[in-house]
Amino acid sequence: MLVAAIFLGIDYFKTRGAFPPHTFIGKVDVSLLTRDEAIIKIKQANIELLLPTVVFQDDKEVFTFAPQELGIAVIPEETVDYAFSLTHKENYINGLKTRLSKEALIVPAKFSLDEKLAREVINELAQKINSPPKDAGIVLSEETGGYHITSDHPGKLLKVDETLRAAIEALRSGSNVAPLAIDYYSKPRVTEGELRAAPPVYRLSAFTTYYGNHDSPNRIHNIKLIASWIENTLLLSGEVFSLVEKIGDFTAERGFKEAYVILQGELVPQLGGGTCQIGTTLFNSVSLADLEILSRRNHSFYFNIYPLGRDATVYPGQVDFKFRNDTGHSILIKAVATNKKLSFRIYGTPTGKKVEFSSPSIFLLGGDGVFHPATLRQILASDRPFRTAVARTVKDAQGNIIKEETIRSYYKLYGEKTNVPIRRPEPR
């Protein structure tokens, strides 16, 4: 009993003014040190022993920094006082039991933060994190039918002030992990889930037009340029495609060259010439896929590189070709332009529909001011206006007619002779 009493007495007086055995601040052993001794040791310790790293994170992003990068420094007196309060808050007997268990007690240190330096670091983080929403996409091999769907990502914006406050609070609480205050502010237009539910990989239609012998390199260049912008366009159910919006402004800076366009009854070289072949080819592909046509107008002159009665003119600020994806699922537009031809193919979810065009009915304007049925030979022999009517029939998978309509076009003349006025030559 006497030995036990002596031990308890020595232990009591030894531990009342000092840290108990097996006590660590971070990785710094302060066992049996007094407050003053512990403060000196903490001041002399390498900060990595107290705070190896600082981590900024959320569910999707993790960034790690050395404490020096954020201007973090230990506060020795506050750290030691906090650790001492934790190790001496129990009564003596309970504290003795804890010490005899030989389990180490690890206490976090207290730190200060250089807010100016830390803000600079967080601003650099913002440059890495901030990003607009990214749509899911699809890569389709038309040769094999294989495809790959890429992931979508929401738009991200790092809130610098909130992240800085979170870092300060984390350090005050003894944690080296601070939450990133990221605002996922905008969902992407096209999501991976939508594409996987109904991948647009089944060909609904295809249509090709060929260039004429008169076509210049400039015109073919413009066609290739626009086709490259349309290639791989995804259109969700209910969305409207505007060719004018897709094209944008006709400027040399965007790569356009001068080629013939029809302007006020004449062929005039202008930036973007050749766009109408884009409109005509796409119009026929869209019609064959039975998508809803919202806006289409034929050329004032008819050229036989296009199907008679089924052409579509386009010019920004004047005439647009528009259609709506009314299939109930997403569609994918593929485009190929070579030195000889232009093709559009539309992929989506199979509908079983079949679309047919009739041969055009032709009507020539007579001297009596009335349109009379005519033949193509009569049209070619005259320089008078004419109109056409093409029947479009849509059948379901069983061959039942589900839709019928007439595509009507009006032309001032058949422009395959020397009858077309040319304001000035096209650059070659």
Side-chain angles (χ1 to χ4, degrees):
M1 291 292 294
L2 180 61
V3 173
I6 293 173
F7 169 78
L8 292 173
I10 294 173
D11 181 77
Y12 177 82
F13 287 106
K14 187 176 181 179
T15 58
R16 284 302 81 194
F19 286 101
H22 316 302
T23 301
F24 292 81
I25 296 177
K27 293 183 178 180
V28 178
D29 188 353
V30 293
S31 302
L32 304 178
L33 297 182
T34 65
R35 278 189 177 90
D36 291 341
E37 291 170 337
I39 288 172
I40 292 172
K41 191 168 186 179
I42 292 299
K43 286 182 177 179
Q44 294 173 343
N46 192 313
I47 193 170
E48 279 79 7
L49 294 174
L50 301 166
L51 187 70
T53 58
V54 179
V55 179
F56 289 91
Q57 67 177 33
D58 75 345
D59 294 339
K60 301 177 181 178
E61 305 276 4
V62 178
F63 299 92
T64 302
F65 296 92
Q68 295 92 331
E69 294 179 89
L70 298 164
I72 293 175
V74 67
I75 308 175
E77 293 81 2
E78 187 176 336
T79 294
V80 171
D81 287 346
Y82 173 65
F84 204 84
S85 68
L86 291 179
T87 55
H88 291 75
K89 66 180 180 180
E90 299 179 310
N91 61 44
Y92 172 72
I93 297 301
N94 288 336
L96 177 61
K97 292 178 181 179
T98 301
R99 293 194 298 280
L100 292 177
S101 70
K102 296 186 178 180
E103 293 181 0
L105 174 63
I106 301 175
V107 181
K110 298 290 185 177
F111 301 95
S112 63
L113 178 73
D114 184 332
E115 292 191 23
K116 181 180 179 181
L117 182 58
R119 183 181 292 277
E120 291 177 359
V121 171
I122 296 172
N123 276 324
E124 291 177 3
L125 272 185
Q127 294 178 20
K128 296 179 181 179
I129 291 173
N130 295 350
S131 61
K134 177 186 175 184
D135 289 340
I138 184 167
V139 180
L140 171 66
S141 170
E142 295 188 90
E143 290 76 17
T144 66
Y147 65 92
H148 171 66
I149 295 175
T150 59
S151 300
D152 60 90
H153 298 287
K156 296 184 293 185
L157 183 67
L158 179 64
K159 299 178 180 179
V160 174
D161 290 341
E162 291 184 23
T163 299
L164 178 59
R165 287 196 295 269
I168 294 171
E169 185 60 34
L171 292 171
R172 285 175 179 169
S173 66
S175 174
N176 73 322
V177 179
L180 288 166
I182 298 179
D183 180 12
Y184 293 90
Y185 67 93
S186 178
K187 293 183 179 180
R189 183 182 67 89
V190 183
T191 66
E192 182 179 353
E194 288 175 295
L195 293 183
R196 292 200 181 279
V201 294
Y202 303 93
R203 184 179 287 189
L204 303 181
S205 67
F207 197 79
T208 298
T209 57
Y210 295 83
Y211 311 140
N213 294 329
H214 62 282
D215 282 337
S216 67
N218 282 5
R219 185 176 188 275
I220 295 172
H221 165 86
N222 291 336
I223 290 171
K224 287 182 176 180
L225 182 66
I226 299 171
S228 71
W229 297 338
I230 297 175
E231 158 67 2
N232 235 40
T233 294
L234 271 168
L235 206 62
L236 302 183
S237 176
E239 288 188 334
V240 172
F241 180 98
S242 164
L243 187 51
V244 164
E245 290 180 4
K246 195 71 173 180
I247 293 171
D249 295 330
F250 285 151
T251 63
E253 290 75 17
R254 299 185 64 236
F256 286 106
K257 296 183 179 181
E258 285 194 351
Y260 280 136
V261 301
I262 303 171
L263 183 65
Q264 297 177 349
E266 295 179 308
L267 288 182
V268 183
Q270 286 198 347
L271 292 174
T275 305
C276 292
Q277 187 143 359
I278 295 282
T280 294
T281 312
L282 188 58
F283 165 66
N284 280 271
S285 187
V286 166
S287 295
L288 287 168
D290 192 36
L291 304 178
E292 182 186 5
I293 306 296
L294 301 178
S295 176
R296 170 261 172 186
R297 186 188 302 176
N298 61 276
H299 295 78
S300 57
F301 300 161
Y302 172 72
F303 296 97
N304 61 17
I305 59 172
Y306 305 136
L308 181 57
R310 287 160 42 202
D311 56 321
T313 184
V314 178
Y315 202 83
Q318 299 179 32
V319 185
D320 196 3
F321 169 60
K322 289 184 180 181
F323 66 92
R324 188 193 316 276
N325 173 16
D326 59 347
T327 65
H329 302 287
S330 60
I331 61 171
L332 175 68
I333 304 175
K334 301 291 290 181
V336 174
T338 69
N339 287 332
K340 294 183 178 180
K341 63 183 180 180
L342 169 68
S343 298
F344 285 112
R345 277 93 66 185
I346 296 178
Y347 290 82
T349 300
T351 63
K353 293 179 181 178
K354 183 178 181 181
V355 177
E356 298 175 346
F357 295 110
S358 71
S359 298
S361 298
I362 306 172
F363 303 88
L364 180 64
L365 182 63
D368 57 359
V370 177
F371 284 93
H372 300 279
T375 65
L376 187 57
R377 184 187 298 269
Q378 290 172 313
I379 297 297
L380 288 170
S382 71
D383 279 332
R384 297 200 302 273
F386 66 100
R387 61 181 178 84
T388 61
V390 177
R392 191 179 79 100
T393 304
V394 183
K395 298 179 181 179
D396 63 18
Q398 289 72 43
N400 302 311
I401 295 176
I402 57 176
K403 188 186 302 181
E404 291 181 296
E405 67 175 2
T406 300
I407 303 171
R408 303 185 188 279
S409 302
Y410 174 86
Y411 304 98
K412 291 182 179 179
L413 53 84
Y414 197 106
E416 291 297 331
K417 303 177 291 183
T418 58
N419 57 348
V420 179
I422 297 176
R423 184 177 302 178
R424 65 176 185 272
E426 185 181 30
R428 296 276 174 166

